[in-house]
Amino acid sequence: MSLDDTISTHSEGHDHGHHEAPEVVDSRERFGVWLFIAGDMVTLGAIWFTYLYMRGTNTDGHWMSMLGYQGHSYAWYENALNSSAGLPAATTIHVGPMSAGLIWLVALVVAVSAGIIWWAEKLLRESKNAKAFSNIALLGTVVVLLAVILSIVQLRHIPSIFVANNDSQVMAYTGYSSAMMMIIGVSMVHFIILAFLGLGLAIRSARGAITGEKWFQARLVRIFWVWVAISTLVTTLLTVMVNKL
Amino acid sequence: MSTSTIEKTVHKGNASGGGLARRQNFLTGLVGGIIFAWLFWWIARLVGDQSSRSFSDLTATSVTLGWLFGFWLGIGALNGPFRWLIGRDQTREDQLYYAGENLGVSRYWKFTTDHKVVGVQYIVMTMVLLGAGGILAMAIRTNLITPGNHFVNQQVYNSFISMHGMLMILGMIVAVAGPWANFVVPIMVGARDMAFPRLNALSLWTLVAAAALLLTTLAVGGLPVGWVILAPITNQAGVGMDFFAMAIVVFTVSTTVAGVNTLATVVKMRTKGMTFTRLPIFVWGSIIAAALGLYAFPYFLLAEVLQLMDRNFQTSFYVASGGGTGWLQANLFWMMGHPEVYVILLPAVGAIFEIAAVMSRKPVFSYKTAVGGMVALAGLSILVWAHHMFTTGWAPTLGGPFMLTTELISIPTGIFFLVLIATMWRGNVWFRLPTLWVYGFIFDFVIGGVTGIYLSDIPIDNQFHGTMFVTAHFHYVFAGSVLFGAVAALAFWYPKVTGRFLNETMGRISFGLTFIGIQVTFISMFLSGLKGMPRRYSSYSMLFEHTNFITTIGGYTIMAGMLVLLAAVITSWKHGEASGPNPWHANSLEWMVPTPVPLENFDVLPVITEDPYNFAEKVDH
Ligand SMILES: [Cu+2]
């Protein structure tokens, strides 16, 4: 006991160790989060570039169709295989843009989850109620998990074309379908990260690692969460408003 | 002093309760990586790919993901996030343990958070990457020693070319920033560690995971596509391409994490009085490069993610028959590619400024102009990427603007020469090993820079594009300049790491061999290029016979120089001449702390009252 006391007195006298004020640590961590967001912004810019570039070049008219390509829609091909009539004659296949309603729904769900997390943080800072915070953070997590599920539904409905050449039969995606697969996939990875962070907030506050006094991490997570919601919204605007040629 | 002994005993007493997590090291990482690679392979076969081939794109990609996950899990990289999730944060005692207190040499094999350990690990990683790239360079040069020499077969030769390029590029990216932005920058700004010590360990071990994937590429069919990995040839390559693409994805994670850490450390952890104008200039080089890396590497990440999607999920990003285009890949690659050159160059330039000032006993000439030049270089670098695509037919109307922005680059680089020469001008130059490599840097960088201006000119580029002239140009920049900057930095800060000088005699022999080797290799390579010899060819016309023979001899000379340097690094570590804590009589903070630098660097955080280049005292030498 006395030994420990000596050390701690000595440590303080010499400013030894990580006895930094929580505000100092938080300011540093917030800066780090903003830097990661900056990197994410560049990635988003590159994704926008890719989407617009593919639409702009529309190589061989393949942005949304397989014009002049010997192809079949997948459902058609399956039916043909199951019937005795054999493969129907190949035609040009057009794929329409994906359901705008579903794309908006995902963006909306993520925006709602961001709102919930923001509300939870506000409540924690004002009423200091860690128990309520934990429950609301869990709610936000569940909502963002819904966005993950909706993303999986979207991925399953990306229009694809079954191309049956003379020598190969492959599933192929047009420029638009490829770009949408990338955007939905990248968004989903972000949602999964949010779910991890939200779950962390819920568990940590339940266990006393986040309290009415120690609320900094709630803000860190909220900052990133809101950024993901905003980036999802602006990307939704892009893909819904700019998709046909 | 006696207190620290007591502290150690106390911690040792408690450390036994650590459990499984404390046994984790590189070996458990390796085992975890292999187990999960196998597991993911098995799952991929089960759910996705029942084709007869046991190693399709999908299984190969799964293997790489499994490797990364298992390696992270095995070495302990995921412990922190997991403990955060369940609300069991590390105690102070945990932190000291993971910083490597009382762990001895074994801390170099673990997920250790101490920035100085990470710095040393980066030195080793740099040598591994550059060494592997160097061996491939020797194979390539041996193949090219005579026109029809088939030292390796053409497909393997193609793989060697790409792998040599990529290993060297990745090695160069970490060569200065890896060791020294980690080892000395936190001390230079008066911090006890990096801003995020666990992320620091994560960036290092993620680099190890990426390097393993990159080297494995050679064992699974290679990468016979050229180092700029242009589509659509990449879509036709074997599963080596999946390994490579994932290696790059993992690598970009590593550099992003490292860049965020360096920036946060310098912006948020400077000690009292350490204003931005009092920063040692190497710190500026490091943070400008870190910021530029944060901008550049997302493009690389996306370029390779799209590559993986094309190969695994039948998307069409780079496939013209599906609505994509190879130009998309070229744009994404070079939007990363040109800024990346300065991510590599700027830390080296910062180190060269630093060393030139200390060894000349003079302040950095026009400090603010030097910093401004580095910022301008970084800013310009994001507007020049299409100069790599002048001959591809992409957006010919933009050729003029891109030529202009590229030529503007010569202004900040001109400032660098001005600053360097004016810093040393009439200085009391101390002619030791670091100084020698600084001179080499200046000489080579002139040649690398001026030939770059030639190539920025579209009519000349139309002639030189795809020839050995280009190869010689960027080797003068990388091998001639950055490598010399890296060795200068190594010679300069080696005493801080080891308490010993890098052997001066061996270092000078190494300099002589390397410097002469560089000139012989790459001047003859310029001549091959001027005569029209194309890059990447495994055999060539008799027209290029003599210059290629000379190039190969020069290449061997460089390798000899590097081997002497390696021997110097190894032997001096234990047996070098003792240096004391401040052998160069410098004023920046890293020289004010004892050597070896204690854990957490400072007992009491210093207060800064002046810049580090006030060399008022007379030094005898
Ligand atoms: Cu360039």
Side-chain angles (χ1 to χ4, degrees):
Chain A
M1 255 322 199
S2 62
L3 193 68
D4 281 341
D5 286 344
T6 328
I7 290 166
S8 64
T9 326
H10 185 89
S11 302
E12 270 175 29
H14 270 246
D15 188 25
H16 187 73
H18 284 290
H19 297 298
E20 294 173 296
E23 290 77 20
V24 174
V25 177
D26 174 62
S27 146
R28 177 194 312 156
E29 289 180 342
R30 225 170 342 136
F31 186 68
V33 168
W34 280 111
L35 288 175
F36 276 116
I37 289 176
D40 216 26
M41 280 178 184
V42 180
T43 313
L44 186 73
I47 286 171
W48 277 52
F49 173 82
T50 301
Y51 183 91
L52 291 170
Y53 190 84
M54 298 214 36
R55 175 178 172 275
T57 45
N58 182 31
T59 313
D60 288 350
H62 288 168
W63 169 246
M64 272 197 188
S65 71
M66 286 284 172
L67 197 69
Y69 210 89
Q70 299 291 295
H72 306 271
S73 81
Y74 187 57
W76 190 9
Y77 186 81
E78 285 240 299
N79 283 338
L81 283 186
N82 293 336
S83 76
S84 54
L87 208 61
T91 50
T92 296
I93 294 163
H94 293 272
V95 298
M98 296 178 66
S99 157
L102 191 55
I103 299 174
W104 274 115
L105 183 64
V106 174
L108 201 70
V109 168
V110 177
V112 167
S113 74
I116 292 172
I117 292 297
W118 205 332
W119 171 48
E121 182 213 338
K122 203 165 160 339
L123 209 70
L124 180 70
R125 288 169 67 172
E126 283 166 7
S127 73
K128 313 281 179 205
N129 186 343
K131 184 90 194 88
F133 172 80
S134 178
N135 291 332
I136 303 170
L138 196 62
L139 178 69
T141 308
V142 171
V143 173
V144 89
L145 279 173
L146 182 66
V148 174
I149 293 167
L150 288 173
S151 301
I152 295 170
V153 172
Q154 280 183 308
L155 285 174
R156 292 180 69 92
H157 285 88
I158 288 177
S160 61
I161 291 170
F162 196 81
V163 179
N165 281 333
N166 291 333
D167 51 5
S168 69
Q169 301 172 339
V170 288
M171 188 89 88
Y173 295 91
T174 63
Y176 169 78
S177 297
S178 304
M180 287 309 289
M181 192 195 286
M182 159 192 67
I183 287 171
I184 296 165
V186 169
S187 301
M188 198 173 77
V189 170
H190 279 82
F191 303 158
I192 291 170
I193 293 171
L194 291 185
F196 177 85
L197 295 173
L199 193 63
L201 288 186
I203 297 175
R204 289 175 67 78
S205 50
R207 289 196 161 193
I210 292 176
T211 64
E213 283 69 44
K214 293 191 286 180
W215 51 266
F216 286 138
Q217 289 190 342
R219 177 167 64 183
L220 291 179
V221 171
R222 183 260 296 169
I223 292 171
F224 185 68
W225 208 304
V226 170
W227 151 248
V228 174
I230 291 172
S231 71
T232 310
L233 276 172
V234 293
T235 307
T236 297
L237 271 175
L238 173 77
T239 56
V240 170
M241 296 179 72
V242 185
N243 52 32
K244 300 212 182 64
L245 285 165
Chain B
M1 269 301 151
S2 62
T3 335
S4 76
T5 332
I6 299 169
E7 242 176 341
K8 269 176 193 164
T9 351
V10 171
H11 289 130
K12 218 167 208 165
N14 294 340
S16 54
L20 221 57
R22 295 196 168 188
R23 304 237 170 94
Q24 287 175 302
N25 56 29
F26 177 63
L27 203 67
T28 53
L30 211 59
V31 171
I34 291 167
I35 290 175
F36 274 88
W38 181 81
L39 201 67
F40 275 48
W41 174 79
W42 188 73
I43 294 171
R45 292 262 293 157
L46 205 67
V47 299
D49 195 305
Q50 281 117 357
S51 70
S52 55
R53 283 192 298 160
S54 62
F55 223 30
S56 65
D57 289 317
L58 205 62
T59 43
T61 308
S62 303
V63 162
T64 60
L65 280 171
W67 155 257
L68 178 67
F69 179 75
F71 184 75
W72 272 352
L73 193 72
I75 198 155
L78 301 179
N79 298 354
F82 180 70
R83 288 183 66 153
W84 179 85
L85 181 72
I86 61 169
R88 292 223 171 119
D89 291 338
Q90 288 185 350
T91 60
R92 170 82 183 133
E93 182 212 320
D94 285 331
Q95 283 173 355
L96 285 172
Y97 178 85
Y98 289 112
E101 197 189 40
N102 305 327
L103 281 177
V105 184
S106 75
R107 69 190 191 278
Y108 291 100
W109 293 97
K110 292 168 85 78
F111 196 79
T112 303
T113 55
D114 178 11
H115 70 99
K116 299 176 290 292
V117 174
V118 176
V120 172
Q121 289 167 329
Y122 263 113
I123 296 177
V124 175
M125 275 312 290
T126 304
M127 294 200 295
V128 167
L129 289 167
L130 298 185
I135 291 167
L136 294 180
M138 291 306 104
I140 292 165
R141 281 323 312 175
T142 304
N143 197 71
L144 295 176
I145 193 164
T146 56
N149 185 21
H150 295 299
F151 179 65
V152 290
N153 79 43
Q154 281 95 333
Q155 196 72 355
V156 171
Y157 179 86
N158 285 344
S159 270
F160 279 12
I161 288 278
S162 344
M163 289 295 291
H164 161 72
M166 266 304 162
L167 284 164
M168 288 302 200
I169 290 287
L170 301 199
M172 285 292 175
I173 289 172
V174 299
V176 181
W180 310 116
N182 276 301
F183 198 104
V184 296
V185 163
I187 316 179
M188 276 177 157
V189 302
R192 292 207 161 98
D193 203 318
M194 297 287 273
F196 311 115
R198 283 209 310 259
L199 287 186
N200 203 20
L202 180 70
S203 67
L204 178 276
W205 288 108
T206 305
L207 173 69
V208 174
L213 287 177
L214 189 61
L215 289 169
T216 313
T217 302
L218 278 174
V220 292
L223 185 71
V225 295
W227 84 268
V228 294
I229 45 174
L230 289 178
I233 191 175
T234 49
N235 291 48
Q236 298 155 18
V239 294
M241 191 61 215
D242 297 301
F243 271 74
F244 169 79
M246 192 58 83
I248 294 303
V249 169
V250 176
F251 178 76
T252 58
V253 171
S254 162
T255 47
T256 303
V257 168
V260 166
N261 220 342
T262 305
L263 276 166
T265 304
V266 174
V267 173
K268 287 288 177 183
M269 296 187 69
R270 281 166 295 121
T271 188
K272 220 168 267 157
M274 182 60 84
T275 59
F276 276 105
T277 49
R278 285 180 186 156
L279 287 176
I281 194 117
F282 175 63
V283 177
W284 275 108
S286 300
I287 58 172
I288 297 167
L292 190 58
L294 217 51
Y295 166 82
F297 289 114
Y299 293 101
F300 209 5
L301 172 72
L302 190 68
E304 295 317 297
V305 167
L306 301 188
Q307 185 76 256
L308 284 167
M309 287 180 69
D310 271 4
R311 300 173 60 85
N312 286 279
F313 306 131
Q314 287 73 51
T315 53
S316 315
F317 292 105
Y318 304 149
V319 188
S321 63
T325 160
W327 279 332
L328 174 60
Q329 197 272 351
N331 272 290
L332 289 173
F333 184 87
W334 288 115
M335 280 164 150
M336 174 284 300
H338 196 97
E340 165 249 46
V341 174
Y342 300 148
V343 174
I344 292 173
L345 184 68
L346 283 171
V349 169
I352 291 283
F353 285 161
E354 187 74 40
I355 297 164
V358 171
M359 300 313 256
S360 318
R361 322 305 302 164
K362 280 179 66 195
V364 174
F365 178 81
S366 191
Y367 179 95
K368 286 179 185 167
T369 314
V371 173
M374 292 198 270
V375 172
L377 188 74
L380 271 176
S381 75
I382 68 180
L383 299 169
V384 301
W385 78 91
H387 63 211
H388 297 274
M389 300 161 67
F390 282 154
T391 61
T392 64
W394 181 77
T397 44
L398 291 179
F402 274 111
M403 183 167 115
L404 181 71
T405 51
T406 305
E407 284 170 352
L408 285 176
I409 294 265
S410 57
I411 296 172
T413 44
I415 289 174
F416 293 168
F417 288 112
L418 215 64
V419 169
L420 257 176
I421 290 173
T423 299
M424 302 186 96
W425 187 258
R426 294 192 171 175
N428 184 8
V429 176
W430 193 1
F431 200 73
R432 291 290 298 268
L433 202 49
T435 323
L436 202 56
W437 291 86
V438 169
Y439 287 155
F441 173 94
I442 297 174
F443 185 91
D444 292 344
F445 195 44
V446 171
I447 299 174
V450 169
T451 51
I453 301 177
Y454 293 176
L455 288 169
S456 71
D457 187 77
I458 294 175
I460 295 181
D461 189 60
N462 280 336
Q463 290 299 311
F464 287 167
H465 184 87
T467 68
M468 290 299 246
F469 188 91
V470 179
T471 317
H473 152 69
F474 67 73
H475 277 86
Y476 256 106
V477 175
F478 288 130
S481 312
V482 179
L483 179 68
F484 277 58
V487 181
L490 179 69
F492 187 66
W493 281 302
Y494 188 90
K496 192 35 77 176
V497 179
T498 61
R500 295 171 190 284
F501 285 105
L502 193 59
N503 187 298
E504 188 86 12
T505 313
M506 287 166 89
R508 284 178 189 226
I509 294 170
S510 166
F511 174 82
L513 288 168
T514 311
F515 184 77
I516 293 167
I518 293 276
Q519 317 311 326
V520 171
T521 307
F522 299 114
I523 287 176
S524 59
M525 196 180 278
F526 275 129
L527 295 176
S528 301
L530 283 171
K531 283 194 285 184
M533 180 181 169
R535 298 166 70 175
R536 306 193 180 102
Y537 278 33
S538 72
S539 65
Y540 49 86
S541 146
M542 289 297 281
L543 192 63
F544 314 118
E545 189 186 11
H546 300 300
T547 49
N548 268 283
F549 180 78
I550 295 168
T551 304
T552 296
I553 299 306
Y556 292 158
T557 316
I558 299 172
M559 190 57 157
M562 286 294 105
L563 287 175
V564 174
L565 181 72
L566 181 67
V569 169
I570 292 170
T571 55
S572 304
W573 205 280
K574 281 268 151 58
H575 309 289
E577 181 197 342
S579 65
N582 187 5
W584 315 119
H585 311 287
N587 296 339
S588 50
L589 284 175
E590 83 270 31
W591 304 109
M592 301 295 125
V593 294
T595 303
V597 187
L599 191 66
E600 303 193 334
N601 309 337
F602 302 98
D603 214 19
V604 181
L605 287 180
V607 176
I608 306 302
T609 54
E610 58 174 22
D611 74 54
Y613 304 116
N614 188 6
F615 300 107
E617 95 286 18
K618 283 275 166 285
V619 182
D620 256 350
H621 50 251

